[in-house]
Amino acid sequence: MSIKINKRIVTIERHILDEQAAFPDASGTLTALLYDMALAAKLISSHTTRAGLADVIGATGTVNVQGEEVQLLDEYAHRTIFQLNDHTGRLCVMGSEEEKDIISIPDKYDCGKYVLLFDPLDGSGNIDYNVSVGTIFSILRRKSESGPGTLEDVLQKGAEIVAAGYIVYGSSTMMVYSTGNGVHGFTLDPGIGEFLLSHPNLRLPQPKFYSANQGYQSRWSEGIQRYTRWLRGEEGNTRSLSLRYIGSMIADIHRNLLGGGVFYYPADTKSPNGKLRMLFEAQPMSFIIEQAGGYASTGRQPILDIQPTALHQRTPLFVGNRELVEKAEEFIARYDGV
Ligand code: P6P
């Protein structure tokens, strides 16, 4: 009797290990760090998928450095990622969208060679509406020689990112990551508590969607208003894309990664530097999308080339299929001047 062999089941742990094999001098530290983020994802997922039931829904009554109401799940996600990483000796410093300053490694623990930046729960304002939210992270090598990490270790260009990923807590929980060798997606099998490879070597397909909050159109520049009309098949464009915007950046960008398209949150008269955070949202998502064959820009320059000057600085963001993002740059240059 022949035994039916399952098709190759690849857990995220196995995939990360295989990826490490591509770096002969790898010490395994980055691999272990990615494992830790996968574990954090499982723990956070277990709370987000029953937010309506557990005592984790709703606000804490506090406001974070962004001026946003902190949700109980925000706090849980932030604490989980911190506690899984503060003692491992793999990091010299952390930065979180929820913390005003950089997060030092407690004195009792060793410092390592990596920096971890994370947005513990992006889009958390949508939790109460049962809209998908997510965790975003990026990993960089420290610049300082040794000891506790510094702000300089954190304020690096996105081009210096060693690995980045996000977890989207939606109809299923998916973890998508890149170590600079393509983009790979894993779906959590809650029955066995494992992330299984479901989307190997993700590449942006031909675009179907454009994602922006058109409710702000009157606050946009002429170039961005014309660009938006172009995406709709006007302004001389013969092709129109479908508008899909759910107000949770991770959910919007994840859909566009799989279906093709552009997400943009431009500067406007109310937010002259845009709304999204450079270090915790724009850089990691730009790294991932560019690894999938796309491009990310402020509308005037590549996101990954920008030297950050402040931990929570914001940036305009256009990210997705290269031809769509470059078209935005073209409209902005033509109608908004330099
Ligand atoms: P608006 C969520 O608060 C967030 O930071 C992103 O996830 C999302 O894309 C954006 O803000 C939505 O902002 O102004 O359209 O509600």
Side-chain angles (χ1 to χ4, degrees):
M1 176 188 74
S2 66
I3 299 170
K4 186 169 173 3
I5 304 293
N6 283 335
K7 69 183 178 66
R8 191 164 172 260
I9 293 177
V10 179
T11 63
I12 193 167
E13 284 77 6
R14 173 169 183 170
H15 192 275
I16 293 169
L17 213 48
D18 290 349
E19 287 273 287
Q20 176 185 302
F23 301 90
D25 60 344
S27 65
T29 306
L30 177 62
T31 297
L33 186 38
L34 286 166
Y35 283 177
D36 294 339
M37 291 312 292
L39 175 58
K42 293 176 193 174
L43 291 167
I44 297 166
S45 173
S46 72
H47 278 68
T48 50
T49 47
R50 53 189 176 87
L53 304 171
D55 58 349
V56 289
I57 201 165
T60 60
T62 59
V63 171
N64 65 14
V65 64
Q66 319 295 344
E68 295 165 342
E69 213 175 24
V70 178
Q71 304 294 325
L72 285 167
L73 268 177
D74 276 327
E75 228 169 48
Y76 173 79
H78 172 83
R79 200 171 53 250
T80 299
I81 295 171
F82 174 72
Q83 288 172 349
L84 282 177
N85 286 285
D86 67 341
H87 60 286
T88 62
R90 299 193 249 274
L91 301 175
C92 66
V93 66
M94 292 185 247
S96 168
E97 195 208 81
E98 295 295 331
E99 284 285 337
K100 179 171 171 297
D101 301 311
I102 60 173
I103 306 169
S104 300
I105 300 303
D107 293 341
K108 59 185 172 183
Y109 300 130
D110 292 338
C111 286
K113 62 183 178 182
Y114 288 109
V115 176
L116 175 67
L117 303 178
F118 57 96
D119 180 356
L121 210 62
D122 180 72
S124 55
N126 292 292
I127 291 168
D128 296 8
Y129 310 128
N130 201 23
V131 166
S132 300
V133 293
T135 297
I136 311 171
F137 68 91
S138 60
I139 298 166
L140 303 99
R141 285 189 191 81
R142 70 180 303 165
K143 292 177 72 174
S144 54
E145 279 308 307
S146 59
T150 64
L151 183 60
E152 188 202 6
D153 287 312
V154 169
L155 298 182
Q156 297 188 51
K157 292 181 180 180
E160 299 301 318
I161 288 175
V162 173
Y166 64 84
I167 301 94
V168 53
Y169 310 105
S171 49
S172 62
T173 294
M174 269 194 74
M175 180 163 170
V176 175
Y177 88 99
S178 174
T179 57
N181 186 26
V183 178
H184 311 284
F186 300 79
T187 301
L188 182 64
D189 179 335
I192 56 173
E194 286 289 355
F195 278 108
L196 303 180
L197 182 63
S198 53
H199 298 73
N201 301 307
L202 280 166
R203 302 289 291 174
L204 276 163
Q206 280 304 305
K208 288 198 191 79
F209 309 116
Y210 75 99
S211 307
N213 186 336
Q214 293 192 138
Y216 300 155
Q217 193 136 333
S218 62
R219 306 195 312 222
W220 291 344
S221 67
E222 182 183 358
I224 293 166
Q225 294 197 34
R226 285 177 177 265
Y227 172 61
T228 303
R229 288 199 290 270
W230 182 86
L231 291 166
R232 284 205 300 260
E234 303 160 30
E235 295 283 329
N237 186 8
T238 55
R239 186 183 64 173
S240 66
L241 299 179
S242 295
L243 171 61
R244 291 285 187 280
Y245 188 77
I246 196 166
S248 175
M249 179 192 68
I250 275 200
D252 281 317
I253 294 182
H254 181 68
R255 179 201 50 248
N256 292 359
L257 171 57
L258 299 184
V262 60
F263 168 94
Y264 53 108
Y265 201 108
D268 63 34
T269 50
K270 183 179 170 219
S271 318
N273 296 313
K275 173 182 184 182
L276 300 174
R277 274 61 62 162
M278 173 62 84
L279 290 176
F280 304 111
E281 294 165 320
Q283 282 188 345
M285 298 310 281
S286 299
F287 175 83
I288 291 166
I289 292 299
E290 293 206 359
Q291 277 293 313
Y295 173 47
S297 170
T298 62
R300 293 189 184 278
Q301 59 181 311
I303 289 283
L304 298 183
D305 290 354
I306 294 173
Q307 174 57 53
T309 53
L311 187 60
H312 293 285
Q313 76 183 60
R314 297 173 188 260
T315 178
L317 175 65
F318 296 76
V319 59
N321 293 76
R322 174 170 286 276
E323 70 269 25
L324 296 181
V325 177
E326 288 176 341
K327 182 59 78 172
E329 292 178 329
E330 192 183 303
F331 272 96
I332 290 167
R334 187 186 308 165
Y335 294 100
D336 298 348
V338 289

